[in-house]
């Protein structure tokens, strides 16, 4: 609602500190007034920490859940045919404006000159947030959305917002360069301004790649300038939020760990994804094509997927009602669903394949199926937003499809290898017992997988076939981040799951999220705007 996000919100700070429980935040930061949940002053560390946590937590709700469902990471009964309505995003829309964005704007407006680094970080986070919102919604209130003097901001075009975000990133980088002294309350980079500069440059790089097919931004020139610059290039520089392990008295675990490690798995793993991790020669029942072009098991399989039961669950798992599933019940504990499966959902949560250790800090699958509970794993999961492996995959795409220099195959190999290294390191940190065991990811398995992908890429006959391989490998590396897989599919048309394992019922694909009716009805400036979920966002040129 417009009036809700016109205010500078500092509330929730006491609750935040109890929830996140991270070392970057001190209990002393809470002593700001009599009621820590209703602040009457801007406390930069508190507002920064709250903004970061509320941003990621809001992204992990409907935006990431639905985008991942649209692009075959997981299956949700309510979205099996891409159903959206004008109330689907009411909560996430309101919360995004009223919580992280309002707090970030308060930092930008209120940080004094001797604390300009806070302003720079807040500006980068605001830029990232609005770039994601444009990617998802297309057009939305931006230029006046956080202006307290404008009660009813109008819709702004996505291309204009993108152009302004690029300028805002440059301003933020200058502000970071002018800051001296420590930054407190930063639960992402712990005050490391060098990493924040890399994040800002990498965000620009990603936006240039996102717009490579449209003409409002010189994407090839921009990407070429950024790729050899000061960008995220190592795992330690990845832009991500890491959750805690606390369950009581205040929950601070990764939301997907909370939702799935509770004997009632919230949704199914998509069969297309599991078939592309198993790579066992599965043939699509509807197209007669192989679902995967690979012949080697993905070494990340045990880290991504945890089986709760052996076999097929004794027939208790209902899938493929009426037949016609491209993949169908895989078995051997990998119990998921095909997109569009009309089967009803019953009490099957404790039987389904669920998330493994990466990225939610659950369990590595060690061939000992069990019903997972809150006591399994640490819950100290991550939400990767801009990472070193993402840079490699985007560079491979750009080198293949544009005049950007680089060898696509080499970049593809480097992207896969970085993803594997990240997953293995995360598993060792969150489940140390896996280290040295037969189930730990091995270098030989990584290289065998890369060799298999290399052979498929080298044998590809067309640029489209090669792009499908790049984007399919990128999709698998992005496990847990459905927002970026949704972006990739709309930008490139790949992976080719629409061909190898099409959605049952062939519903029209949603190219954008729907601005909630609650916003349209309360903001007279939007009275003439009618959101069309099938209209492409500005950068998704056919």
């Amino acid at each position: 609602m417009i009036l809700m996000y016109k205010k500078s919100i500092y509330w929730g700070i006491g609750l935040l500190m109890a929830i996140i429980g991270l070392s970057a935040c001190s209990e002393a930061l809470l002593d700001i007034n009599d009621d820590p949940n209703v602040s009457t002053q801007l406390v930069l560390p508190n507002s920064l920490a709250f903004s970061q946590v509320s941003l990621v937590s809001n992204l992990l709700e409907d935006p990431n859940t639905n985008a991942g469902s649209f692009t075959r990471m997981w299956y949700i009964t309510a979205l099996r045919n891409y159903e959206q309505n004008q109330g689907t995003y009411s909560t996430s829309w309101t919360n995004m404006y009223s919580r992280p964005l309002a707090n970030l704007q308060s930092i930008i407006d209120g940080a004094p000159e001797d604390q300009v680094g806070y302003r720079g970080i807040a500006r980068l986070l605001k830029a990232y947030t609005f770039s994601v919102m444009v990617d998802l919604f297309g057009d939305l209130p931006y230029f006046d959305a956080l202006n307290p003097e404008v009660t009813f901001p109008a819709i702004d075009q996505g291309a204009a917002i993108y152009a302004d975000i690029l300028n805002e990133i440059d301003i933020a980088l200058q502000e970071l360069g002018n800051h001296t002294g420590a930054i407190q309350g930063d639960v992402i980079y712990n005050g490391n301004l060098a990493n924040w500069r890399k994040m800002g440059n990498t965000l620009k790089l990603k936006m240039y790649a996102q717009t490579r097919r449209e003409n409002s931004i010189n994407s090839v020139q921009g990407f070429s300038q950024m790729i050899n610059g000061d960008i995220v290039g190592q795992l330690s520089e990845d832009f991500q939020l890491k959750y805690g392990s606390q369950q009581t008295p205040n929950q601070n675990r990764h939301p997907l760990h909370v939702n799935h490690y509770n004997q009632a798995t919230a949704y199914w793993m998509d069969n297309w994804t599991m078939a592309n991790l198993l790579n066992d020669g599965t043939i699509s029942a509807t197209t007669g094509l192989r679902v995967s072009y690979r012949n080697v098991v993905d070494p990340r399989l045990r880290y991504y997927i945890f089986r709760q039961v052996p076999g097929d669950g004794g027939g208790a798992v209902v899938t493929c009602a009426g037949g016609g599933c491209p993949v169908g019940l895989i078995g051997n504990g990998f119990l998921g669903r095909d997109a569009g499966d009309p089967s009803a959902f019953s009490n099957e949560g404790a039987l389904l394949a669920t998330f493994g250790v990466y990225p939610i800090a659950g369990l590595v699958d060690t061939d000992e199926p069990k019903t997972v509970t809150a006591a399994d794993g640490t819950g100290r999961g991550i939400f990767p937003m801009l990472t070193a492996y993402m840079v490699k995959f985007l560079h491979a795409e750009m080198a293949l499809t544009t005049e950007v220099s680089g060898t696509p195959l080499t970049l593809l190999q480097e992207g896969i290898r970085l993803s594997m290294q990240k997953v293995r390191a995360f598993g060792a940190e969150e489940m140390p017992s896996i280290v040295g065991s037969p189930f730990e990811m091995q270098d030989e398995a990584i290289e065998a997988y890369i060799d298999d992908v290399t052979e498929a890429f080298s044998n590809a006959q067309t640029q489209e076939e090669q792009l499908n391989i790049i984007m399919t490998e990128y999709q698998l590396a992005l496990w847990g981040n459905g927002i970026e897989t949704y972006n990739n599919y709309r930008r490139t048309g790949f992976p080719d799951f629409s061909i190898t394992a099409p959605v049952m019922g062939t519903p029209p694909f949603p190219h954008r999220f729907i601005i909630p009716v609650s916003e349209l009805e309360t903001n007279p400036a939007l009275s003439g705007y009618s959101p069309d979920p099938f209209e492409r966002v500005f950068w998704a040129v056919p």
Side-chain angles (χ1 to χ4, degrees), residues 56-79:
V56 174
S57 295
N58 277 294
L59 288 178
L60 278 169
E61 292 295 332
D62 290 334
N64 191 63
T65 298
N66 293 7
S69 179
F70 294 160
T71 47
R72 313 298 288 277
M73 279 193 165
W74 39 73
Y75 167 103
I76 303 173
T77 303
L79 292 172

Side-chain angles (χ1 to χ4, degrees), residues 239-483:
F239 174 56
Q240 62 188 27
L241 179 75
K242 187 174 180 66
Y243 283 85
S245 60
Q246 185 172 301
Q247 297 182 41
T248 57
N250 295 295
Q251 184 70 259
N252 73 349
R253 293 175 297 157
H254 192 291
L256 289 177
H257 188 280
V258 175
N259 291 339
H260 290 263
Y261 275 55
N262 63 0
Q263 302 183 53
T265 294
Y267 40 79
W268 306 63
M269 302 294 100
D270 190 280
N271 283 336
W272 179 90
T273 291
M274 291 195 292
N276 272 273
L277 293 169
L278 286 162
N279 303 318
D280 58 1
T282 297
I283 302 297
S284 170
T286 56
T287 68
L289 300 174
R290 282 191 56 162
V291 178
S292 166
Y293 50 78
R294 293 172 234 83
N295 300 290
V296 175
V297 174
D298 192 316
R300 295 165 294 195
L301 173 63
R302 294 182 180 275
Y303 291 69
Y304 282 5
I305 306 293
F306 185 87
R307 294 168 292 171
Q308 297 192 86
V309 295
D312 64 359
V317 177
V318 179
T319 64
C320 220
C325 289
V327 179
L329 193 65
I330 294 176
N332 194 25
F334 295 102
L335 307 182
R337 274 193 178 175
D338 288 67
D341 187 340
S343 305
F345 184 85
S346 57
N347 297 321
E348 300 159 345
L351 303 175
L352 307 180
T354 189
F355 288 95
V357 69
Y358 185 91
I360 74 166
L363 298 175
V364 175
D365 190 308
T366 59
D367 293 339
E368 296 179 353
K370 59 167 289 185
T371 301
V372 295
T373 69
D376 293 312
T378 67
R380 294 184 303 197
I382 56 175
F383 184 61
M385 293 170 278
L386 294 169
T387 68
Y389 73 76
M390 292 183 189
V391 170
K392 294 296 184 182
F393 283 112
L394 290 173
H395 192 181
E397 176 192 344
M398 293 293 284
L400 179 69
T401 60
T402 72
E403 297 175 357
V404 168
S405 62
T407 304
L409 176 56
T410 300
L411 294 163
L412 170 62
Q413 294 166 336
E414 292 173 349
I416 296 172
R417 194 171 286 111
L418 278 170
S419 168
M420 299 279 186
Q421 291 170 355
K422 184 178 182 70
V423 172
R424 180 169 60 182
F426 184 83
E429 179 180 358
E430 298 305 324
M431 191 173 170
S433 62
I434 199 69
V435 178
S437 77
F439 306 105
E440 182 181 22
M441 192 186 305
Q442 301 297 318
D443 289 339
E444 294 80 4
I446 295 173
E447 295 309 315
Y449 181 88
I450 292 175
D451 288 344
D452 193 38
V453 173
T454 298
E455 182 178 1
F457 189 89
S458 300
N459 291 336
Q461 300 298 306
T462 66
Q463 184 184 97
E464 286 73 22
E465 290 178 6
Q466 292 181 330
L467 184 58
N468 174 59
I469 292 173
I470 290 173
M471 303 315 295
T472 300
E473 297 304 321
Y474 191 9
Q475 166 119 355
L476 295 176
L478 282 167
W479 179 242
N481 187 330
I483 292 172

Side-chain angles (χ1 to χ4, degrees), residues 490-508:
R490 290 176 297 155
R491 183 178 69 252
T492 69
F494 295 108
D496 67 355
F497 47 65
S498 61
I499 299 173
T500 57
V503 175
M504 298 174 67
T506 60

